[in-house]
Amino acid sequence: MEKSARTAINDSFKELLQRKSLDKITVKEICEHCGVNRQTFYYYYMDKMHVFKYIVLNELSRDVA
């Protein structure tokens, strides 16, 4: 089964974050890394900080449950 675009963006962001700091990661780089276009990225997220917040909130909600 192929990953959804949102999952691919999230996974790519996490991988890139392991290699470099948040301020060095660009939307373009995230899109190239996961193979989605910028329009798809902006369908799900406003910017890279929105991705970061989404991931953090999801991780925190898993720990609570």
Side-chain angles (χ1 to χ4, degrees), residues 20-61:
K20 51 174 47 175
S21 63
L22 179 60
D23 63 322
K24 301 291 184 196
I25 298 172
T26 65
V27 170
K28 180 180 178 183
E29 187 175 22
I30 296 166
C31 292
E32 288 174 353
H33 189 266
C34 67
V36 301
N37 63 38
R38 290 173 69 90
Q39 186 175 10
T40 302
F41 177 92
Y42 287 114
Y43 176 79
Y44 292 105
Y45 299 107
M46 293 181 285
D47 56 20
K48 68 180 180 181
M49 288 306 296
H50 190 196
V51 181
F52 180 76
K53 291 174 188 175
Y54 179 85
I55 290 170
V56 169
L57 289 174
N58 278 341
E59 296 294 325
L60 289 174
S61 66

Side-chain angles (χ1 to χ4, degrees), residues 2-13:
E2 197 171 314
K3 288 185 190 180
S4 72
R6 175 173 271 185
T7 302
I9 292 167
N10 294 344
D11 290 348
S12 291
F13 184 82

